[in-house]
Amino acid sequence: MKKTLTALALTGALAAPAWAISSHGAAHDGAVLHADSMAVGYPGDPLLIDRTIRVSMLDASNGAMAFDPAALDIRQGETIRIVLTNEGSVAHEFVMASPEEIADHREEMRGIADMPHDADFAARVAPGGSETLTWTFSNDGTFEIACLIPGHSEAGMRGRLTVS
C-alpha cells in the first residue's frame, strides 16, 4: 500500500496542500513559497515514514551556529521524519528549499528576526525545545537547509540536502 500511495503522490494523483512558508505573506511583498510547488517535495504522511533523521541546532558563545549534521542524504521518494532539537541558547529555524528559494527568503527576512515560519518544510524551535517535520522528498537534486533568522545562516547555520 505504501508503494501505491507513493506512486500516486509522485504522479500527482494525490494533491499536496498549499502551505505558505509562514503566516506573514504580506511582509514578503507577495513572495510566498508553497509546499505543493517546491522542488524539494511535499508534506509527508506520518503513517508512511521510511526513517527518522535527528538534527541538532547549535550555537556557541563565540557566535558560531550550526546544524548537526550539516549534510542530509535522502533517497528520492523517501518520507522522512526530521526531529529538530535546539541545543542552543537562542531560537533557531530549520527551512529546506532550493538554493534560490533560500537566498531569496533570507534576503526578505533581513531585519525581521521575530517572523516565525509556520509550514511543513520549516520550523522555529525555542532554546531547549524540539519540533518534528514529516516530508516526502519526491525530486532528486541538491537543496539547502538554513536558519533564516537574520545573521544565523551567515554564522554557519546552513547545510546541504541531497536527494538522489
Side-chain angles (χ1 to χ4, degrees), residues 55-147:
V55 177
S56 295
M57 305 163 113
L58 310 166
D59 55 74
S61 59
N62 67 359
M65 298 181 179
F67 291 115
D68 183 27
L72 305 177
D73 293 310
I74 313 282
R75 287 184 305 277
Q76 184 177 5
E78 275 191 305
T79 297
I80 304 293
R81 175 189 300 121
I82 303 170
V83 178
L84 306 164
T85 303
N86 186 344
E87 298 178 21
S89 59
V90 298
H92 291 296
E93 287 186 341
F94 177 95
V95 179
M96 54 187 172
S98 71
E100 298 79 18
E101 290 165 332
I102 291 287
D104 289 348
H105 202 70
R106 182 184 304 112
E107 192 58 38
E108 289 175 308
M109 286 203 51
R110 291 198 191 286
I112 312 173
D114 62 342
M115 185 185 307
H117 290 99
D118 182 20
D120 289 325
F121 56 90
R124 182 173 286 214
V125 185
S130 181
E131 295 288 337
T132 301
L133 302 176
T134 303
W135 196 258
T136 297
F137 294 88
S138 57
N139 299 308
D140 66 344
T142 301
F143 305 97
E144 289 187 8
I145 58 173
C147 178

Side-chain angles (χ1 to χ4, degrees), residues 26-49:
H28 286 293
D29 299 324
V32 181
L33 298 174
H34 293 276
D36 63 346
S37 64
M38 295 182 67
V40 72
Y42 56 89
D45 183 336
L47 299 176
L48 301 176
I49 292 170

